[in-house]
Amino acid sequence: MDTTGPYADLPGAIPKEGKVRRRAVSPRLMLLWALLLSVAAALLAVSVATTQPWLGIALNPDSERGTVVLADIDLSGPSAHAGIAPGLRVERIEVGGELAPGEGPLMDLYASDLIEEPDSLETYDEIAAFLERQTRLFDILQQGAVRLHLADDVTGAPRVAEVYPRARPFWSLPAMFWVQVLSGLAGFVVGAWIWALRRRDLASQMFALSGLGLMISALPAAIYSTRELAMEGGLFVVLSALNHAGAHMFGGALIALFLVYPRRLVRPVWLLAIPPLLGGWLWADIARLFPTPTIGMYVPVLVEMLAIVTLVVIQFRGVRNSPVERAALRWLGLS
């Protein structure tokens, strides 16, 4: 078939060499892919959260005493008929079943066992000890039966309850789990949608990257911060590392966004310095090379936030005479 004459552009004609055209993926299809990916990520998070051993209780830390308090009991959970009530102190946990009291592994419980973010601890050694305790508690919960050693907070009278843990049902996941999951998914989908509409725009790419970082950060945090009591230490480390990586991706992408939008403050090539800088800091934090976890995680997050706020102020000054750009910047800056 002629590829050079008047019929060259008709359907079925063989294109000229070097003139192969690729049909662009429509924004709707890209949004569909983003939605499917977000649903898959949410299902993965729910799957990990619901494979953890579940006693059907809510525990609160008593920071003043350093103890653990039984705050609530799920009426459909394993502890519903164990003869216990909210308000009791949970002093220790022990492997039950056929083992007599004192024969199996037993651990005292402390308020520190319930912290949501191990990064709040002062040293990496404390984090390591926390994760080691999480693994030991998780191993006890993995057994067929556990004994909860409780005490009345008023009289001090002891009580022992035999509970048979089972996998956690998805409907028992707390509201905070769903808030974090939905926040992460919303950020990712909105970013993907903006990028789908303006794929070649650098600012749209950075906005989409920030949404991806938000999802990567939020979903692991939803899993480990809403655990009932304990999670295997190795899994905890992986989830925490993903949370850190997502947080740095989010912060770095927003810094890059406000460096080029709405007014370009630097040449795009300078944005390439951000990933190795934040990636190197992340690696050093995971490898525990810093003196404290505060320096490893919270200092860079603080620097990122200060950089974002500073760039927003600079951009506001640059677009003060442009109502449209100022409105768009105000929306992004507040977000």
Side-chain angles (χ1 to χ4, degrees):
M1 183 177 291
D2 183 13
T3 63
T4 59
Y7 304 104
D9 294 329
L10 291 178
I14 301 176
K16 299 177 184 179
E17 185 177 355
K19 297 291 185 178
V20 177
R21 296 181 180 178
R22 295 182 179 177
R23 181 176 298 177
V25 179
S26 69
R28 287 186 179 181
L29 183 57
M30 294 190 67
L31 179 60
L32 177 60
W33 288 350
L35 289 171
L36 292 176
L37 180 58
S38 65
V39 169
L43 290 176
L44 178 60
V46 171
S47 175
V48 175
T50 54
T51 55
Q52 306 305 310
W54 182 58
L55 298 172
I57 58 178
L59 301 173
N60 284 342
D62 184 340
S63 301
E64 294 183 0
R65 298 183 180 181
T67 58
V68 174
V69 178
L70 179 61
D72 197 10
I73 300 174
D74 192 312
L75 296 181
S76 62
S79 301
H81 305 292
I84 55 178
L88 299 173
R89 290 198 316 273
V90 186
E91 297 186 328
R92 59 188 62 87
I93 186 171
E94 178 186 21
V95 174
E98 297 179 356
L99 296 177
E103 289 186 357
L106 181 147
M107 288 186 64
D108 293 331
L109 293 184
Y110 304 108
S112 58
D113 292 319
L114 301 179
I115 61 174
E116 296 181 2
E117 284 286 354
D119 298 328
S120 61
L121 297 172
E122 295 183 358
T123 67
Y124 285 112
D125 287 340
E126 290 182 9
I127 292 179
F130 166 80
L131 294 173
E132 191 270 338
R133 284 186 55 83
Q134 283 286 295
T135 297
R136 290 171 59 196
L137 288 170
F138 178 82
D139 289 341
I140 292 177
L141 292 171
Q142 285 287 86
Q143 306 304 313
V146 299
R147 294 189 186 95
L148 299 179
H149 294 257
L150 308 103
D152 189 289
D153 205 26
V154 177
T155 65
R159 189 176 303 180
V160 178
E162 187 101 351
V163 181
Y164 299 86
R166 63 173 186 258
R168 190 176 195 176
F170 77 92
W171 45 259
S172 72
L173 296 171
M176 186 53 63
F177 173 88
W178 299 109
V179 168
Q180 294 183 82
V181 168
L182 293 177
S183 297
L185 299 187
F188 171 70
V189 171
V190 171
W193 176 239
I194 297 298
W195 176 60
L197 295 175
R198 304 181 62 182
R199 268 168 275 180
R200 295 184 179 275
D201 182 67
L202 182 58
S204 298
Q205 296 169 4
M206 294 301 100
F207 186 70
L209 193 62
S210 72
L212 177 61
L214 180 60
M215 183 174 71
I216 293 175
S217 176
L219 268 60
I223 297 170
Y224 65 71
S225 67
T226 62
R227 71 192 186 280
E228 185 181 55
L229 173 59
M231 178 177 292
E232 196 274 324
L235 176 60
F236 213 130
V237 169
V238 172
L239 294 175
S240 181
L242 287 173
N243 171 257
H244 291 191
H248 288 314
M249 181 185 293
F250 175 79
L254 285 185
I255 291 173
L257 170 63
F258 291 119
L259 282 172
V260 298
Y261 181 86
R263 300 293 173 88
R264 184 164 293 181
L265 302 180
V266 299
R267 295 174 58 189
V269 68
W270 287 102
L271 303 184
L272 297 177
I274 297 177
L277 180 62
L278 294 181
W281 200 287
L282 172 65
W283 175 83
D285 177 37
I286 294 175
R288 302 179 182 179
L289 300 181
F290 293 109
T292 67
T294 299
I295 297 176
M297 180 56 188
Y298 294 109
V299 168
V301 169
L302 176 61
V303 171
E304 290 164 17
M305 181 57 65
L306 291 175
I308 291 169
V309 173
T310 301
L311 290 172
V312 169
V313 172
I314 294 173
Q315 289 284 11
F316 257 117
R317 296 183 61 182
V319 300
R320 58 182 177 271
N321 296 322
S322 175
V324 176
E325 290 182 329
R326 190 168 64 248
L329 182 61
R330 183 180 295 112
W331 183 81
L332 283 174
L334 290 176
S335 299

